[in-house]
Amino acid sequence: MLSITQELIEHLHASDSKEQPPALAGSYINVILKCGDVKDAEALLPVFLEKPSHFYRTQLLPILGMFGTNAIAQGLLENCFATNQLKADMPEELLHVLGQLRYEPAIDMLSSYALSDTSGYYPSKYAVLGLLHFPCEGYEQQIEAAIRNTFGKNLFNEFVPSLVCKLKNRDALLPILYEQGVTVCSTDCNAGLLLGFALSGVEGANYIRKALFDPAWEADATGTGTAYWASKSMQYTGVSFEELYAAIKQEDNPDKLDYQLRVFESLLSRRLESVEEPLRLEHSKSKESFTTLYELLFRWATPNRQNNILDLAEKVDREQDFYLLEKVLLQKVEEECLLKVIRL
């Protein structure tokens, strides 16, 4: 167990008598997510179960989801659920964690929350994210019916369409879902569409490529979660920032260039901020390190000439955004190097 995990436990217990800034616990948790293992999850399970409905303890769930075991999943199910339902005041994120841990006794419950119109936004969202960790054999008809039920609607349980990746006939549904995203679906409600494309193989990756620079999708929107899930979708499909940057460098239209740079900056910012992995995929297709990204975007052609993304940004008065981004990216490069040293 990491020493920082013990410090986090002490910090949380101290917070019971004196409120502490939530971001401080979040910093401890981010370090554990980067460097921890199953021992940290085992140590934090009883701490979570002391007050599972308290916000500070809910922050521990990403650690349990990333490093947990079947035993941890069973402990969560026994303490936080009754008759295949969340107990009162339990955080909906628990549904997600049971899926991350691939706890098979929870599949029926997850499908019930994920596919019901009456579940509510957050129970449906976290149940869908949990269900994505299973093959979903035997649930295909229910999944397709739930997806088709979103057609023609502006708002719906946002993450239901992401389950299209579990269907054998998904190639027939993907173009319909893309058209829904362009014409009908609110940009407050399109994250599940993007995630569904990202998990649907080569055909889905092509729709991700189309959506990222299509203004109808507002892939730069941070308030609705679209930018976060668009960035994750790039990671899951292997669509690289190098690929997007190459396309941006070919753009001559100032309005389109402005939009593409805005999207690029937003997606990269989400990548820099992200620590938690919402899906425990066996293999993430993203191979770009922060060092690689820095060299790609901010290299100089000669000692006296930039010829990098700052020159493009200057054309549309966005250079300040990228100066700030450069500073953050350099910090992540240093952090990346430090983690390599720690893991030696």
Side-chain angles (χ1 to χ4, degrees):
M1 183 181 79
L2 299 172
S3 60
I4 195 69
T5 301
Q6 183 58 43
E7 290 187 37
L8 173 61
I9 293 171
E10 293 169 3
H11 172 79
L12 291 173
H13 286 149
S15 298
D16 291 341
S17 57
K18 181 181 179 181
E19 289 295 318
Q20 302 282 355
L24 188 55
S27 295
Y28 292 146
I29 288 165
N30 285 344
V31 171
I32 297 167
L33 286 170
K34 292 172 185 174
C35 302
D37 60 24
V38 63
K39 294 179 181 178
D40 300 282
E42 289 171 342
L44 290 169
L45 174 63
V47 180
F48 168 75
L49 292 176
E50 288 171 354
K51 294 185 175 182
S53 61
H54 194 284
F55 169 73
Y56 287 98
R57 307 303 169 93
T58 302
Q59 287 182 288
L60 301 176
L61 288 177
I63 297 173
L64 303 185
M66 182 173 286
F67 302 120
T69 61
N70 249 28
I72 286 177
Q74 183 176 347
L76 294 173
L77 191 66
E78 290 175 351
N79 286 276
C80 303
F81 296 81
T83 61
N84 270 346
Q85 289 190 324
L86 281 163
K87 291 181 180 178
D89 299 324
M90 290 296 113
E92 294 93 345
E93 293 93 330
L94 283 161
L95 298 164
H96 183 191
V97 173
L98 291 179
Q100 286 178 301
L101 300 181
R102 294 179 171 84
Y103 191 59
E104 293 189 2
I107 295 177
D108 283 345
M109 178 178 63
L110 292 178
S111 65
S112 177
Y113 274 105
L115 304 176
S116 171
D117 279 343
T118 61
S119 291
Y121 179 86
Y122 288 105
S124 174
K125 170 186 175 178
Y126 290 116
V128 168
L129 292 176
L131 204 56
L132 286 169
H133 293 84
F134 298 97
C136 295
E137 294 173 357
Y139 296 91
E140 292 93 342
Q141 287 186 343
Q142 295 168 258
I143 288 172
E144 182 170 351
I147 291 172
R148 288 186 178 277
N149 192 41
T150 69
F151 290 175
K153 294 181 179 178
N154 185 247
L155 296 171
F156 45 84
N157 280 340
E158 183 173 13
F159 285 82
V160 167
S162 66
L163 291 167
V164 69
C165 64
K166 302 298 179 181
L167 301 179
K168 293 182 177 65
N169 66 334
R170 66 191 184 198
D171 285 353
L173 294 175
L174 291 174
I176 301 173
L177 289 171
Y178 190 85
E179 185 66 16
Q180 295 288 307
V182 172
T183 60
V184 180
C185 174
S186 167
T187 51
D188 289 343
C189 202
N190 62 7
L193 293 170
L194 293 169
L195 184 56
F197 298 145
L199 300 177
S200 292
V202 174
E203 181 67 16
N206 290 332
Y207 287 110
I208 289 293
R209 289 182 171 90
K210 288 171 60 178
L212 290 178
F213 285 159
D214 183 341
W217 288 84
E218 294 185 19
D220 62 317
T222 58
T224 64
T226 302
Y228 173 83
W229 287 105
S231 179
K232 285 298 177 187
S233 295
M234 287 177 60
Q235 177 183 328
Y236 299 152
T237 57
V239 176
S240 67
F241 284 100
E242 181 177 12
E243 180 180 338
L244 297 187
Y245 185 39
I248 291 171
K249 287 192 289 186
Q250 299 303 312
E251 184 55 65
D252 295 325
N253 183 295
D255 291 335
K256 290 182 179 179
L257 177 62
D258 181 69
Y259 181 73
Q260 290 175 4
L261 284 169
R262 192 170 79 223
V263 170
F264 189 91
E265 187 274 334
S266 184
L267 293 174
L268 185 52
S269 293
R270 303 294 79 70
R271 167 77 193 280
L272 297 176
E273 293 170 359
S274 180
V275 177
E276 172 190 353
E277 281 301 334
L279 301 182
R280 284 180 68 168
L281 301 180
E282 296 301 325
H283 301 287
S284 174
K285 295 183 180 180
S286 175
K287 301 295 182 183
E288 292 175 300
S289 68
F290 294 126
T291 302
T292 298
L293 288 172
Y294 188 84
E295 291 173 341
L296 171 71
L297 301 175
F298 296 103
R299 65 160 60 101
W300 286 54
T302 69
N304 299 310
R305 183 168 177 266
Q306 290 179 176
N307 193 30
N308 60 28
I309 200 167
L310 293 169
D311 297 293
L312 288 175
E314 187 176 7
K315 293 180 181 180
V316 290
D317 294 326
R318 288 198 171 274
E319 65 270 31
Q320 189 60 35
D321 293 342
F322 285 89
Y323 279 125
L324 295 173
L325 190 65
E326 180 183 14
K327 292 179 181 179
V328 177
L329 184 52
L330 267 178
Q331 291 174 346
K332 300 301 287 189
V333 169
E334 293 179 14
E335 180 183 301
E336 189 173 67
C337 294
L338 180 60
L339 286 173
K340 287 180 182 177
V341 172
I342 292 172
R343 289 167 179 162
L344 287 177

